[in-house]
Amino acid sequence: MTITEATGSAAGRPQKAPAAASAGLAPGSAAPEAAAPDSAVSVSAASIAVAARSGVPYTVPQPPAVVDADIWPGIATVPSGLKAAVAGRVAEAIFKAAVRRLPLEVRYPGGTVLGKHASVQAGALTAYPVMTINRPEAFAARLGDGGLIGLGESYMAGDWDAEDLTAVLEVFAASVGNLVPEPLQKLRALYLPRQPRKERNTEQNTRSNISRHYDLSNELFATFLDETMTYSSALFPESGEALKSVAWDGFADAQQAKIDRLLDKAGVTQGTRVLEIGTGWGELALRAAQRGATVYSVTLSSEQQELARQRVAGAGYADAVTIELKDYRAVEGEYDAVVSVEMIEAVGFEYWATYFQTIERVLAPGGKVAIQAITIAHDRLLATRSSYTWVHKYIFPGGVIPSVRAIEEITEKQTGLRVRERLAMGEHYAQTLRLWEERFMARAAEVHGLGFDEIFQRMWLFYLCYSRAGFETGYLDVQQIVLDSRKAGEAGN
């Protein structure tokens, strides 16, 4: 299947890997012989790669000389016309005004440098993250057309590069609420794209939203995940400065430690009836079964279901674990423990109450709930919950990250569940993402061999670094949250 745009002007998110006949996908990975100048982005042959600096242990691929408009229509064409020109000039002015006050060095062709310059103070070199603008007009046009969506698209297109992408994105993440003047922030809803209706997480749409990410290919995810195939934050034994240098060797153990803590908090032991909402590739179900529990796990990803079933059968637990392709809202039965890892982010804020009401409905008396959830500050949730972002368009359609306050208010006001305990571990997610990023880039040739081209690789790198920057700055956090019924909690007091 070729990559197609998602919908209208907000389109461009790939459905599958770029064309590669050898990977079982539609042919077309080679660049077309010719393309009109206004429908393709040309990249200088001299800038084939961005050399790794600032401790980044890999080389970033550059887009092909001509971007295939059939595969990447949102990247191959730079916004044009009067509206785009005006928006581009406004965006350029806002961007330049912002970077002048940020700890960031922005280099333009011809030698112009904005922001902070590296300097020697008290005998020590003070260096700032470096962002290099390769094509200023295209960069401004994309930024004006899509705001932060344009920032990501312009990186995918090669309009700009960074010696250390995460470091650059950390600067923006730390000041995200102040980058655009407040009067203009109030107008963005009138101009920037809004979430397409078909990406709302209704029962009819959710399967498609999940498939667009998790069904890309099991082989793709295997290139950067550890042997447990766990796609969520690990929980490392290290803390403080030691945490910042954790290595791959202990990664699988840290993923299992995260799972084991959730199972412990949910009280999973011999004979426990466990409901897992969001199967992933089956590691949690396996570890619960190893404790003697019976597991009913639901997913909307056919790729994940297939591999998870294979892993469960291979480990000898097929009789203890059932994995079905089913929406969480359709689950019936009664369970002693409900466990869900980083699934609530895909629910959509309109359905958070339904999510917790479903859990309450199937939870047996005295049962416990343990979830892991990425969270955001409540004021940022309120400001962005209706926004349509680069992550929605290219990575997770329909997703919204909750706040702790939202979870607590919804469970208190609309269910009989109560939050009893929380563990914040955002710094562990930052290092989880670093390890994924390094592994993904180290296996770039293998990724390309699967049919995922340079544009896709830049997209995925931007996603990993964008996410890591959020956790490094504290803009994002991740929580393990334990809940039970109000009656059970009161009886135990």
Side-chain angles (χ1 to χ4, degrees), residues 16 210-217 300-304:
K16 285 287 183 180
I210 294 297
S211 177
R212 284 168 57 186
H213 185 84
Y214 294 98
D215 286 348
L216 280 168
S217 130
L300 289 176
S301 166
S302 56
E303 290 267 331
Q304 287 188 329

Side-chain angles (χ1 to χ4, degrees), residues 280-356:
W281 284 277
E283 186 67 16
L284 187 146
L286 276 171
R287 294 192 74 76
Q290 289 168 2
R291 297 180 175 213
T294 56
V295 183
Y296 183 73
S297 184
V298 294
T299 179
L300 289 176
S301 166
S302 56
E303 290 267 331
Q304 287 188 329
Q305 181 196 39
E306 180 182 4
L307 183 54
R309 282 177 167 178
Q310 291 174 7
R311 295 184 71 215
V312 166
Y317 291 104
D319 291 340
V321 178
T322 300
I323 301 172
E324 291 197 358
L325 208 61
K326 180 179 289 188
D327 190 287
Y328 70 92
R329 288 164 282 206
V331 171
E332 300 291 341
E334 184 178 80
Y335 302 90
D336 306 306
V338 179
V339 186
S340 186
V341 179
E342 294 179 26
M343 189 276 182
I344 189 174
E345 304 87 347
V347 166
F349 76 90
E350 309 102 312
Y351 301 99
W352 287 339
T354 303
Y355 173 78
F356 285 111

Side-chain angles (χ1 to χ4, degrees), residues 199-229:
E199 291 186 10
R200 293 184 63 225
N201 280 300
T202 63
E203 290 190 56
Q204 293 75 28
N205 295 344
T206 300
R207 173 75 188 277
S208 172
N209 285 347
I210 294 297
S211 177
R212 284 168 57 186
H213 185 84
Y214 294 98
D215 286 348
L216 280 168
S217 130
N218 288 334
E219 292 77 14
L220 169 68
F221 287 98
T223 62
F224 67 92
L225 298 181
D226 68 273
E227 64 198 58
T228 69
M229 288 293 288

Side-chain angles (χ1 to χ4, degrees), residues 32 49 75 105 122 140 176 194 231 266-267 269 281 319 331 362 367 383 386 412 425 471:
I75 305 304
E105 182 176 330
V176 69
R194 298 185 66 83
Y231 190 36
T269 59
W281 284 277
D319 291 340
V331 171
V362 301
S386 298
E412 181 178 352
M425 44 189 265
F471 289 103

Side-chain angles (χ1 to χ4, degrees), residues 240-440:
E241 288 300 311
L243 179 60
K244 297 179 181 179
S245 58
V246 291
W248 184 267
D249 291 348
F251 199 11
D253 290 341
Q255 288 288 12
Q256 291 176 336
K258 170 270 303 294
I259 291 171
D260 290 344
R261 187 182 188 278
L262 283 168
L263 295 177
D264 289 343
K265 292 298 180 179
V268 177
T269 59
Q270 180 73 35
T272 302
R273 299 167 297 171
V274 177
L275 169 64
E276 181 187 21
I277 300 177
T279 306
W281 284 277
E283 186 67 16
L284 187 146
L286 276 171
R287 294 192 74 76
Q290 289 168 2
R291 297 180 175 213
T294 56
V295 183
Y296 183 73
S297 184
V298 294
T299 179
L300 289 176
S301 166
S302 56
E303 290 267 331
Q304 287 188 329
Q305 181 196 39
E306 180 182 4
L307 183 54
R309 282 177 167 178
Q310 291 174 7
R311 295 184 71 215
V312 166
Y317 291 104
D319 291 340
V321 178
T322 300
I323 301 172
E324 291 197 358
L325 208 61
K326 180 179 289 188
D327 190 287
Y328 70 92
R329 288 164 282 206
V331 171
E332 300 291 341
E334 184 178 80
Y335 302 90
D336 306 306
V338 179
V339 186
S340 186
V341 179
E342 294 179 26
M343 189 276 182
I344 189 174
E345 304 87 347
V347 166
F349 76 90
E350 309 102 312
Y351 301 99
W352 287 339
T354 303
Y355 173 78
F356 285 111
Q357 288 164 358
T358 299
I359 290 174
E360 180 185 24
R361 173 172 56 80
V362 301
L363 189 65
K368 291 187 175 182
V369 181
I371 69 172
Q372 184 163 305
I374 298 172
T375 59
I376 194 170
H378 193 65
D379 63 330
R380 294 310 303 164
L381 167 64
L382 297 180
T384 62
R385 66 185 181 185
S386 298
S387 300
Y388 187 63
T389 69
W390 180 88
V391 170
H392 290 129
K393 182 174 176 179
Y394 286 96
I395 307 297
F396 291 114
V400 180
I401 294 174
S403 66
V404 170
R405 178 175 165 184
I407 292 173
E408 291 178 337
E409 288 183 351
I410 287 170
T411 52
E412 181 178 352
K413 295 176 181 179
Q414 301 190 52
T415 76
L417 299 174
R418 291 294 177 273
V419 173
R420 301 299 182 185
E421 181 181 336
R422 291 192 292 112
L423 171 69
M425 44 189 265
E427 67 275 16
H428 292 258
Y429 219 147
Q431 299 312 311
T432 297
L433 284 154
R434 173 179 62 81
L435 292 173
W436 287 344
E437 170 196 335
E438 292 172 357
R439 184 79 160 186
F440 177 76

Side-chain angles (χ1 to χ4, degrees), residues 50-97:
V50 177
R53 301 186 192 94
S54 304
V56 177
Y58 52 76
T59 298
V60 180
Q62 289 293 289
V66 176
V67 177
D68 191 330
D70 290 333
I71 298 176
W72 296 102
I75 305 304
T77 303
V78 177
S80 60
L82 179 60
K83 179 181 177 182
V86 173
R89 285 195 290 271
V90 172
E92 183 179 35
I94 292 173
F95 175 78
K96 288 183 175 180

